[in-house]
Amino acid sequence: MNKNPFSLYDFLGYLFPGAILLMMMVFIKPIFFQGKQSVNASDFFSYNQFKVCVYDFDKIKETPKSVKAKKFQSEIKQNADDCYTINKGVLLISFILFSYILGHLVSYFSSQTVEYISNRAYKYPSKYLLSQDHPHVYYNYFHHFHSEGWYVMGPCIWRIIVLIVFFPITLFVFLLGKVFNINAYITRSLDEYLIICIESKIYSLPKNLKVQNPPINLDFDFHRILMHYVYTNIPESQRKADNYVALYGFLRCITFIGCIYFDIIVVLYGLGKVVLDGTGIVEVAVLILLIDSFYMAYLKFYRRFTLENYMALLSDTQVQGYVYEDDDNQIEK
């Protein structure tokens, strides 16, 4: 088997986010064990809290009677209360394994929260890219909140919890995105000519695959079929598609981790464990802006991935588009 068992997504989508979360856990641990009733919010952004001591125990075992070994052992005892002591090899292997495992958890929960908000607020890129409706139709979270199962208590409670827990994203979608017209920019559609050409290919694709035609209004998830067709039959687009998936998966996970970090600060502040001074408030505000920046980058690559599938299908000569005619123009096959 020539194919590498590890893809780019294994690193960007799992390993790196897991490593960041693991480092965050190690970073904030000393804050809770420094014997203070409360800490300043700035401590959550200070490298002084991060302290890891690594010693070469194998070298100590090889020379147990040397002065150097005794010095190492003495240093370990003195720093046992405020730093970690672990063999370098064990540290590296453990770090990679735990990072990869945590990365899978982060990826799953981010897809159920960050991606959930995006699809509820803006709908899927496959929808708004081909829409000629007004952009505001595609960024109304509350419209979709009430239109689909608002009377079912479970989904209703989950949507409210997601909005509260992921406050930085909520702030972006409902305030910053509307005030600065970012929502309309995110959900902007393609130009009319491209939409006509892509839709003609989409309507012709089922004939090639010998499956039922999709509905005219494209309410069903036909893009999933299109995506697999493009990936299987157009190898030239595989690399770009893999890159886009890995990038938007990574950015989605980073957005999730940033929101959790923000929630920890807010919860501790509510419990009186964190004091917010001027510097702390500024740093928390910067954290929110960074989270929103990662979120916008996630939406950008999410859109580009879908657009890549559409354009790859459009360039495929094996699928013949339909003929569209109107009073002024005629688009031929």
Side-chain angles (χ1 to χ4, degrees), residues 21-266:
L21 179 61
L22 188 60
M23 292 178 65
M24 184 187 78
M25 294 166 62
V26 175
F27 179 81
I28 65 177
K29 181 178 180 294
I31 298 177
F32 300 100
F33 297 95
Q34 56 182 344
K36 295 181 181 180
Q37 293 295 326
S38 62
V39 297
N40 197 294
S42 299
D43 291 338
F44 285 87
F45 305 94
S46 174
Y47 287 102
N48 294 331
Q49 299 296 333
F50 189 78
K51 188 174 183 181
V52 178
C53 303
V54 181
Y55 299 97
D56 193 343
F57 286 98
D58 293 332
K59 190 172 183 179
I60 295 175
K61 291 179 181 179
E62 291 174 3
T63 56
K65 297 182 181 180
S66 67
V67 177
K68 183 179 250 187
K70 292 181 180 179
K71 183 178 179 181
F72 271 120
Q73 293 171 354
S74 176
E75 187 177 348
I76 291 173
K77 291 180 181 179
Q78 291 176 1
N79 295 288
D81 295 332
D82 59 357
C83 69
Y84 304 93
T85 56
I86 190 170
N87 180 272
K88 287 188 292 186
V90 175
L91 175 65
L92 180 60
I93 295 174
S94 301
F95 182 78
I96 294 175
L97 290 178
F98 278 110
S99 297
Y100 192 69
I101 294 172
L102 284 175
H104 278 274
L105 294 177
V106 171
S107 180
Y108 172 75
F109 286 111
S110 67
S111 67
Q112 298 300 313
T113 52
V114 177
E115 189 169 330
Y116 178 87
I117 295 176
S118 303
N119 293 336
R120 288 289 174 179
Y122 304 116
K123 301 184 85 171
Y124 293 94
S126 58
K127 305 294 184 182
Y128 60 71
L129 279 172
L130 301 182
S131 171
Q132 297 184 20
D133 296 329
H134 193 277
H136 79 271
V137 174
Y138 287 92
Y139 57 87
N140 192 338
Y141 185 95
F142 287 111
H143 171 74
H144 304 300
F145 188 100
H146 293 294
S147 64
E148 300 179 15
W150 63 269
Y151 49 85
V152 181
M153 187 59 66
C156 182
I157 293 176
W158 176 245
R159 294 172 195 178
I160 294 174
I161 291 175
V162 168
L163 285 179
I164 295 174
V165 173
F166 293 86
F167 174 77
I169 299 178
T170 304
L171 179 68
F172 173 82
V173 172
F174 295 108
L175 181 61
L176 299 178
K178 288 190 175 182
V179 171
F180 297 102
N181 207 32
I182 301 175
N183 289 341
Y185 177 76
I186 291 172
T187 58
R188 69 193 186 279
S189 61
L190 300 174
D191 63 71
E192 184 178 357
Y193 174 71
L194 277 177
I195 292 176
I196 292 175
C197 293
I198 293 172
E199 285 184 343
S200 70
K201 289 276 190 173
I202 291 176
Y203 297 147
S204 300
L205 181 59
K207 184 184 297 184
N208 291 53
L209 300 177
K210 293 180 173 51
V211 297
Q212 184 178 354
N213 286 329
I216 299 299
N217 57 10
L218 297 178
D219 283 340
F220 291 90
D221 188 15
F222 188 75
H223 178 262
R224 192 181 302 274
I225 300 176
L226 185 153
M227 175 183 65
H228 283 279
Y229 173 84
V230 167
Y231 194 85
T232 304
N233 294 277
I234 309 178
E236 295 81 3
S237 69
Q238 290 181 1
R239 184 173 181 180
K240 291 181 68 175
D242 288 338
N243 289 341
Y244 287 147
V245 170
L247 285 170
Y248 85 65
F250 170 75
L251 292 165
R252 185 189 66 201
C253 290
I254 298 303
T255 302
F256 175 86
I257 294 172
C259 289
I260 297 302
Y261 198 69
F262 172 81
D263 291 337
I264 292 174
I265 298 175
V266 171

Side-chain angles (χ1 to χ4, degrees), residues 239-302:
R239 184 173 181 180
K240 291 181 68 175
D242 288 338
N243 289 341
Y244 287 147
V245 170
L247 285 170
Y248 85 65
F250 170 75
L251 292 165
R252 185 189 66 201
C253 290
I254 298 303
T255 302
F256 175 86
I257 294 172
C259 289
I260 297 302
Y261 198 69
F262 172 81
D263 291 337
I264 292 174
I265 298 175
V266 171
V267 170
L268 292 178
Y269 175 76
L271 296 175
K273 299 294 184 180
V274 172
V275 178
L276 279 175
D277 57 4
T279 304
I281 292 174
V282 171
E283 291 174 339
V284 170
V286 171
L287 174 63
I288 293 176
L289 291 177
L290 286 174
I291 293 171
D292 289 342
S293 298
F294 283 121
Y295 181 64
M296 285 190 293
Y298 153 69
L299 293 174
K300 179 185 74 172
F301 286 109
Y302 195 14

